[in-house]
Amino acid sequence: MKTECIGDGVKLKDKIYPCTVSLAMDLVGGKWKAVILYHLKNGEKRYTELRKEMPTSTETTLSIQLKQLEKDGLIARKVFGEKPPIKVVYKLTEFGKSCIPVLEAITNWGNQVVLEKGEFISADL
């Protein structure tokens, strides 16, 4: 029996969604959330490392998305030191790690789409 869309919806942290797909897309959807999670899947990274790996994302957008992912429990933020310069690292939580198979499936599908319908381009073009 399908469980994703039975009843009037699903609830997580006082937020109601019409179905589990909607809930999942709220957690990892949008242009940058899945990309951030993808870059953290192999271990923790500093903010500057994430910025370098996502050069077309603005600093504001990256900061907002990191805060939302942390609020939703997908990533953890750890601050080292009390005085500047402080070191801040981000890593996937256990909950965040549970979406790695989804990220890998999205990556594989994206690669397949490019191979069949597009092309990989060099960053120096």
Side-chain angles (χ1 to χ4, degrees):
M1 175 168 81
K2 290 184 178 183
T3 57
E4 65 271 10
C5 293
I6 61 172
D8 292 329
V10 295
K11 184 176 178 182
L12 178 69
K13 295 184 180 177
D14 296 325
K15 192 167 182 183
I16 296 175
Y17 300 90
C19 65
T20 56
V21 174
S22 178
L23 179 151
M25 292 308 297
D26 187 42
L27 291 173
V28 300
K31 188 173 181 179
W32 297 109
K33 286 181 180 179
V35 177
I36 293 166
L37 295 169
Y38 172 83
H39 285 292
L40 292 174
K41 76 182 179 93
N42 293 322
E44 65 183 32
K45 297 212 176 184
R46 294 182 74 168
Y47 177 85
T48 53
E49 293 174 297
L50 290 169
R51 280 283 297 137
K52 286 178 186 172
E53 293 178 355
M54 297 181 291
T56 58
S57 170
T58 67
E59 287 187 32
T60 302
T61 298
L62 181 57
S63 293
I64 289 168
Q65 296 302 295
L66 287 167
K67 286 176 185 171
Q68 187 63 52
L69 288 166
E70 183 182 13
K71 179 182 172 218
D72 289 338
L74 291 159
I75 66 170
R77 177 181 186 264
K78 186 164 185 175
V79 179
F80 297 90
E82 296 177 17
K83 297 179 187 176
I86 59 172
K87 178 181 175 184
V88 178
V89 295
Y90 296 91
K91 68 178 185 176
L92 294 180
T93 61
E94 288 304 312
F95 179 48
K97 289 176 185 176
S98 72
C99 77
I100 289 175
V102 175
L103 296 170
E104 290 174 345
I106 290 169
T107 302
N108 291 337
W109 183 63
N111 287 339
Q112 178 184 340
V113 169
V114 171
L115 290 172
E116 293 176 7
K117 301 181 180 290
E119 63 182 295
F120 289 97
I121 57 173
S122 175
D124 53 89
L125 291 179

